Amino acid sequence: MIQDEQTGKWESQAVIVDSLNVWGVGNDSILYLDKKGVSEVLLPLRSDTSVTQFVFQFKALTDTLTVYHTNINNYVSLECGCYVSYDLDTLESKNVLIDSIAIVNKQVRNFDEEHVQIFF
Amino acid sequence: MCRSFFSILLLVCSACLWAQDAPDAAEPAPIVEKKDSIYRGIGVKFDLFTPIYTLASTSARTMSFELGANVNLLNRYFPTIEIGYAKSEYTAEHGAMYAGQGGFLKGGVDVGVTKATSTLKNLFYVGIRGAVGMQDYNLTNVQYKGNYWGTIPPANLKNQFAVDVWMEVLAGIQVSIYEGLYMGWAMRYKYLFTKADKTEFHAWYIPGFGQNTDSQIGFNYYIGYNF
């Protein structure tokens, strides 16, 4: 949060984080490894369960983001098959690295929209 | 006196004979009455197009049979019912498969647009149908898109049941071959009322309608007989 000098109001502003590591709990693959200049991350949710956890590691601080979601099966066609979309229910963290979390858009239907804001 | 009696008797007998002949003279009356009646007979027809197309085509995935019957009113109006059965299988590129079978029933009326004549020979007509189709079907091996968390087992839906309702407008001709025997062609535009939620699993094919899209064009080639 930053304070506007003229109005005095506190406003959120996207920050750029260096050396960020992000991976999913229960998955050996790392989504972001020592990533520089990160202002947004794409976090794929699980389709086989309604809880997905991610570990955020920044320098010596490590936090776990837990996302509770509802999975929605979507049928496209026999040729194109199916995909899963999601409704975000709640999010929580251990508040070590992450200060708070806000859901911007509960419906996760595609990847080019902002759904969650994470405050450090 | 006796001669007069026989003359009178002869006159009476002649009158009786004339009276007995009178109904014969009026014999054409019932025929006239039949021509003026609303009901002119019934007809049956069998669609040959789909069975022939299926046998002739190596890519056809559907076998469909359709029978029709109609009532001839004034050689112009033909209340019609059509019943049929269809079976279809389709395998998509990635191995997903639909297999279904079921029946359909259509009801409506055809109206001759050419001038009605005393005998039904050749006819150009337009018509409308309300239709319902029911089927049991399976969707198997429908693939999911995988992501960071790995692949998702394919969806398999067995013993699904579906009812679909649609309407048809059609135009056709029928040509007399021999006495009551005729052949005919019809083209139909079909509009589906029970449109599937595109994100829900649904049948790939609807018996009597065709592939499960909002609308379809159909074609029939009939052999029929008018009684």
Side-chain angles (χ1 to χ4, degrees), chain A residues 2-103:
Chain A
I2 59 169
Q3 189 174 26
D4 190 302
E5 291 179 356
Q6 293 181 343
T7 62
K9 291 182 178 177
W10 289 92
E11 294 177 348
S12 60
Q13 187 181 51
V15 294
I16 296 173
V17 180
D18 281 330
S19 303
L20 180 69
N21 296 324
V22 182
W23 65 90
V25 175
N27 194 316
D28 294 334
S29 299
I30 294 178
L31 287 163
Y32 295 91
L33 176 62
D34 198 21
K35 187 76 174 177
K36 309 283 194 243
V38 178
S39 60
E40 63 179 27
V41 290
L42 298 175
L43 303 176
L45 298 175
R46 298 182 71 130
S47 301
D48 58 338
T49 179
S50 59
V51 181
T52 307
Q53 290 185 302
F54 300 96
V55 176
F56 282 72
Q57 187 180 59
F58 177 66
K59 295 181 179 175
L61 298 174
T62 301
D63 207 335
T64 302
L65 174 70
T66 303
V67 184
Y68 297 92
H69 50 86
T70 302
N71 300 345
I72 303 164
N73 290 316
N74 296 275
Y75 175 70
V76 180
S77 65
L78 281 181
E79 287 82 2
C80 299
C82 307
Y83 69 95
V84 179
S85 61
Y86 311 88
D87 281 349
L88 299 177
D89 298 324
T90 56
L91 289 89
E92 60 186 38
S93 73
K94 294 180 178 177
N95 296 109
V96 177
L97 173 64
I98 298 170
D99 178 66
S100 59
I101 307 158
I103 297 176

Side-chain angles (χ1 to χ4, degrees), chain B residues 43-47 66-70 80-83 182 222:
Chain B
V44 293
K45 59 185 178 181
F46 179 69
D47 176 37
E66 184 178 314
L67 283 166
N70 61 40
T80 302
I81 61 166
E82 293 157 339
I83 59 171
Y182 71 89
Y222 293 112

